[in-house]
Amino acid sequence: MKKIIFLIFWLAAAVSYQTQAQYNFPSQTGWDFTIERIFNGEDNRIPKYQDDINIRLINFENNEDLRLVLNIVEELRSLIPKKIAVSSEGHGNLILELVPKNSGIRFFSSRNLHHHKMLSQHNKICLENLTSTEKKRIIEYMIVRSLCVLRNNNYNSFIGNAILDYKDQTDPLSTNFTEADKFLLHNLYAPDFSDKAKKYITDKHSWRYYMNFVYRNEVKWFSIILCTLIVILIFTISYKTILTKKFKKPYFNYLFPGLLIIYTTLIILEVYHHTTSMEVDAKPAYLAPIVYNLSWLAPVSILYLLERYYIKSKQTISKQLKLKAFFTFSILSITIIPFMVFINKPRIRLMLTLVAILIFFSRMLFLYLREHSAATIREKDTELSKLKELKAQAEVASLHARINPHFLYNSLNSIASLAHNNPDKTEQMALSLSDLFRHNLNRKNEATSSIKDEIEALKAYLKIEQIRFGERMTFTIEIEKDLEHYQIPRNIIQPLVENAIKHGISKILEKGFIKVDINKAQSNIIIAVTDNGPRFPDGLVSGYGLQSIHDILKLSYGDKASLSWENQPTKTIVITIEDHE
C-alpha cells in the first residue's frame, strides 16, 4: 500500500519536475565530448535503443531504492524523447537486478547488440551497506551507461568525474551524472542527432575530416581504388612513351622509367595520405621532400653504372633479372639506412620503408613485364621470319617452275623449226636439251647453286641455240676464278641470255654476239649479259623471264640485289648482288 501511494505521489509530481529539468553546458565542449565517445572512427553506426525503453526492476523491495530509480528515470525523461517505462513485472530491455552481498557481485552488466541496435542490457548491482548517495551514484551509473555504447578509448575531452568519461570505468562511486553526460544522452536520442553531428564536424573541421571520422573504412577502400586507377592510368599513358621506348642515350633508359616509378609511388602515397588524413590543413607528406631536391638522381645513376658494367647480353634473362633485383634492393637499402639511423620518428621510418618497398616491387614488375613483352615479340618475330622464309622458298620454287616451262617452250619451238630443214641438227639439239634437263634434275630442288654450275647449264643451253642460229650467233663467257663457288639463286643467268636471243639476236640479220661476264667490283658481284640486238625500249623491260628474275632477287636478297639495264655504250642487262662473304 505504501508503494502504491508513493508511486501516485511520484507520478503527480512528474509533470512539474519535467518542465523544471534543464541543464546548461557549453555546446562545443558537449559535442567534442559526445562525438569522441559515440563514433568509433570506422563507420557511422550508433548503437542505442531504437524502440521504447522498458526498465524492469528485480528484487527492489526497499522504497528508498525504488525512489532513487524513479527519480533518475524522471530526469532521463526530460532528456530523452523516448518513452521510458518502469515495471517490476513483464519483459524489459533494460533490467536492473539487486543481488545480495554474498553473491560476490558488486556491479555487473551484459549487453545484447545487433549491429547498431541495442536489444537489451542486464545489470546486476549490490546496494547493501551503502549510503543513499552511494546507491544513487551506482544506479545512475548503471542506467546511464546502459543507454549508450562508448566506442573507443581515444578521448581528448574529459570532465573529470562524468559517468561517461572513460570507456572502462571501474569505480561508479567516483562519478556523478554531470551536464556532459546529460548533453550526450539528450543529443544521442534526438531525432536529428546525425545531422547535428555532421554539421558540427564539418563546421569545425572539414568534409574530408567528417568522411574519415564517420566512414573511415569506406574512405580507405575508396582511396585504394583511386590509387589503383591512377597507377593504371599512368602506366597506360607512359607504356609506349617511356617504359618500352628505347632512348638514344642508354642513361635515359634508366632515368625516365626510374623517375616515373619514383613519382608514381610518391603520388599514390600522397593521394592515399590526403584522402585518409583527418588533418584540417593536410600538407604534402611524400612529394615535398623529393620536389625540392634531386637527391634521387644519385641512386639512379649508380644503378645505371652497376647494371651497365655487370649485366651482359650473353647472360640468360633469368640471371639478368636476378642481378637487377639484387642491385635495386642494395641501392634502396643503402639509400634509406642513413635516414633509419639518424631519424628517430617512427612515422617517417615507416614512410621511407613503404616507399622503398613500393619502388622495388614496381621496378621488378616493370622489368618482368618488359622482358615478357620482349620475349613474346621475339617469339612472334621468329615465327614470322620462319613463315616469311617458307613463303619465300615456296615463291622461289614457283618461279623456278615457271622459268623451266618457259625455256622448254622456246627450246621445243627451236627444235620444231629445224625438224624439216636439218634432221641432224634437230637430233643434236634434242640430245643437248636432254643433257640440259638432266643437269637441272640432278639439283634436287635446291634454291641456290654455284656460279660454276649455273654456267655449265648455260653452256648446254647456248649449244642448243647455236645449233639453231648457226654462224649467225657467237657467244663468250668470262668468269673470275674466285667466283666459281659463289652461291646464287638458281636459274637467274639463263633467262637473261634467253631474252638476249629472243629480243636481240633473233631481230637482226647480221651476225650476232652474246657476252656473259661475271666479276667482282668492290663488294658487289656483277653478272652482265651483253648483246648487239635492238636497243632496250624505254620503261620496264618486257619479258616474263626478267620479271621472274626480279622477283627471285627480291625474295632472296631484299634490297641487297638489283636488276638494271643500259643501251650505252653497249646494250647490257646487269644483276648486282652485295657480297656478304
Side-chain angles (χ1 to χ4, degrees):
M1 186 64 181
K2 291 181 179 180
K3 290 183 180 180
I4 295 175
I5 296 174
F6 176 79
L7 288 174
I8 294 173
F9 175 81
W10 175 75
L11 290 172
V15 177
S16 60
Y17 185 88
Q18 185 170 354
T19 57
Q20 294 173 2
Q22 297 180 359
Y23 55 90
N24 185 18
F25 194 72
S27 175
Q28 180 173 342
T29 304
W31 276 113
D32 289 339
F33 183 86
T34 300
I35 290 171
E36 288 178 355
R37 286 155 177 79
I38 298 304
F39 293 98
N40 64 353
E42 299 293 335
D43 53 55
N44 65 333
R45 292 184 298 179
I46 305 171
K48 61 181 179 179
Y49 284 103
Q50 303 296 327
D51 303 321
D52 293 337
I53 302 171
N54 296 310
I55 301 176
R56 181 188 174 192
L57 303 179
I58 301 177
N59 299 329
F60 275 77
E61 303 294 338
N62 188 299
N63 289 336
E64 180 186 3
D65 299 339
L66 180 60
R67 180 179 55 81
L68 292 173
V69 173
L70 295 176
N71 287 338
I72 295 170
V73 168
E74 185 57 32
E75 186 171 8
L76 290 173
R77 284 175 174 163
S78 67
L79 302 174
I80 300 174
K82 283 188 173 296
K83 180 181 178 181
I84 304 177
V86 181
S87 174
S88 59
E89 297 179 355
H91 177 73
N93 53 14
L94 197 165
I95 301 173
L96 283 177
E97 180 181 357
L98 289 181
V99 296
K101 188 174 182 180
N102 57 16
S103 66
I105 297 176
R106 185 183 177 191
F107 53 90
F108 170 80
S109 295
S110 62
R111 178 176 288 152
N112 184 12
L113 291 174
H114 181 69
H115 298 301
H116 63 285
K117 184 176 182 181
M118 192 180 299
L119 299 179
S120 65
Q121 174 136 342
H122 193 145
N123 301 303
K124 296 181 179 182
I125 56 177
C126 177
L127 301 180
E128 294 183 9
N129 302 325
L130 296 178
T131 65
S132 178
T133 301
E134 291 173 336
K135 290 180 180 181
K136 178 177 179 295
R137 288 183 178 180
I138 291 178
I139 294 173
E140 284 178 337
Y141 177 88
M142 300 307 293
I143 294 178
V144 169
R145 291 180 74 94
S146 297
L147 295 175
C148 61
V149 178
L150 303 187
R151 305 297 300 276
N152 57 66
N153 289 308
N154 300 320
Y155 305 148
N156 294 315
S157 57
F158 299 94
I159 304 304
N161 61 342
I163 293 175
L164 302 176
D165 251 345
Y166 299 95
K167 179 179 179 180
D168 300 320
Q169 177 63 264
T170 58
D171 186 13
L173 297 178
S174 63
T175 64
N176 283 311
F177 191 20
T178 64
E179 295 298 322
D181 299 318
K182 298 174 184 178
F183 184 95
L184 186 151
L185 292 177
H186 175 73
N187 286 283
L188 174 62
Y189 281 92
D192 57 350
F193 170 68
S194 296
D195 294 335
K196 287 183 176 179
K198 180 192 296 186
K199 185 178 186 307
Y200 176 77
I201 295 174
T202 53
D203 289 347
K204 182 179 179 181
H205 302 287
S206 64
W207 267 99
R208 179 165 51 84
Y209 182 96
Y210 170 77
M211 295 300 294
N212 275 280
F213 190 83
V214 180
Y215 302 98
R216 189 159 188 80
N217 287 332
E218 289 83 352
V219 171
K220 285 183 178 179
W221 278 110
F222 169 79
S223 300
I224 292 173
I225 295 173
L226 178 61
C227 292
T228 303
L229 293 176
I230 291 174
V231 170
I232 294 174
L233 178 63
I234 293 176
F235 179 81
T236 302
I237 294 175
S238 62
Y239 182 74
K240 290 185 177 180
T241 57
I242 295 178
L243 295 177
T244 58
K245 183 178 180 179
K246 295 294 183 181
F247 296 93
K248 292 182 178 179
K249 293 185 178 181
Y251 177 65
F252 288 165
N253 293 323
Y254 284 78
L255 178 63
F256 294 130
L259 174 66
L260 179 69
I261 291 173
I262 290 173
Y263 271 99
T264 299
T265 302
L266 295 175
I267 286 171
I268 62 175
L269 287 174
E270 190 64 57
V271 170
Y272 184 82
H273 167 75
H274 185 78
T275 54
T276 59
S277 174
M278 296 178 68
E279 299 177 13
V280 178
D281 298 321
K283 297 180 180 179
Y286 299 95
L287 287 175
I290 302 297
V291 170
Y292 298 112
N293 69 79
L294 300 178
S295 59
W296 50 268
L297 284 174
V300 171
S301 302
I302 295 173
L303 183 64
Y304 163 72
L305 293 174
L306 287 173
E307 294 186 0
R308 180 179 180 182
Y309 288 104
Y310 289 99
I311 296 180
K312 306 299 181 182
S313 58
K314 62 182 180 180
Q315 296 170 341
T316 63
I317 300 299
S318 176
K319 185 175 181 180
Q320 291 182 23
L321 287 176
K322 289 178 181 178
L323 286 174
K324 289 180 179 180
F326 173 73
F327 291 146
T328 304
F329 178 80
S330 301
I331 294 298
L332 288 172
S333 300
I334 294 173
T335 302
I336 68 170
I337 282 176
F339 296 96
M340 303 294 282
V341 172
F342 296 105
I343 297 178
N344 191 23
K345 293 184 178 180
R347 185 175 180 277
I348 296 181
R349 287 183 173 182
L350 178 62
M351 181 268 289
L352 290 172
T353 303
L354 186 60
V355 169
I357 291 173
L358 288 175
I359 290 175
F360 175 78
F361 282 105
S362 298
R363 184 169 194 252
M364 289 301 100
L365 178 62
F366 159 68
L367 291 175
Y368 171 78
L369 292 175
R370 187 172 68 177
E371 292 299 335
H372 184 270
S373 176
T376 303
I377 293 174
R378 286 193 296 268
E379 182 179 354
K380 295 296 182 182
D381 287 344
T382 302
E383 292 178 358
L384 184 61
S385 298
K386 290 181 179 178
L387 290 174
K388 287 182 178 179
E389 183 180 353
L390 292 173
K391 180 182 178 183
Q393 291 176 357
E395 291 180 353
V396 169
S398 175
L399 291 172
H400 286 158
R402 292 178 184 176
I403 290 174
N404 288 331
H406 181 73
F407 162 69
L408 179 61
Y409 171 78
N410 289 340
S411 299
L412 291 176
N413 279 342
S414 298
I415 292 174
S417 65
L418 293 173
H420 298 288
N421 300 328
N422 196 332
D424 293 335
K425 286 186 177 181
T426 301
E427 180 183 3
Q428 186 179 359
M429 183 178 289
L431 292 174
S432 296
L433 181 62
S434 176
D435 291 339
L436 177 60
F437 271 89
R438 186 182 303 110
H439 179 79
N440 285 333
L441 291 174
N442 288 337
R443 299 187 183 186
K444 299 178 181 179
N445 292 324
E446 295 175 350
T448 61
S449 175
S450 66
I451 291 179
K452 181 179 179 180
D453 289 339
E454 287 296 298
I455 294 301
E456 292 297 325
L458 179 63
K459 287 178 180 179
Y461 167 74
L462 285 172
K463 286 180 182 180
I464 296 172
E465 293 295 345
Q466 197 168 38
I467 293 172
R468 176 187 169 192
F469 286 94
E471 295 181 354
R472 287 182 54 205
M473 187 191 83
T474 60
F475 68 88
T476 60
I477 299 176
E478 296 181 2
I479 177 174
E480 290 186 10
K481 191 71 175 177
D482 295 339
L483 297 179
E484 288 185 348
H485 299 289
Y486 190 88
Q487 295 290 316
I488 60 174
R490 286 175 49 201
N491 296 333
I492 63 171
I493 301 177
Q494 182 179 314
L496 302 183
V497 177
E498 286 185 41
N499 277 274
I501 293 173
K502 180 179 179 181
H503 300 287
I505 293 175
S506 66
K507 303 295 183 181
I508 61 176
L509 298 176
E510 64 267 22
K511 186 176 183 179
F513 73 89
I514 293 176
K515 179 181 179 182
V516 178
D517 186 13
I518 303 176
N519 60 78
K520 187 172 184 179
Q522 297 179 349
S523 60
N524 296 326
I525 305 298
I526 306 297
I527 302 174
V529 176
T530 304
D531 70 86
N532 63 337
R535 296 163 56 90
F536 290 120
D538 295 335
L540 182 66
V541 175
S542 62
Y544 177 83
L546 295 183
Q547 183 61 49
S548 298
I549 298 305
H550 178 272
D551 293 340
I552 288 176
L553 292 175
K554 186 70 175 178
L555 290 169
S556 301
Y557 299 103
D559 297 332
K560 305 300 181 182
S562 62
L563 178 66
S564 60
W565 55 92
E566 61 185 12
N567 289 310
Q568 295 294 335
T570 57
K571 179 190 173 187
T572 306
I573 188 166
V574 180
I575 292 176
T576 304
I577 302 173
E578 292 187 15
D579 182 21
H580 297 287
E581 294 186 354

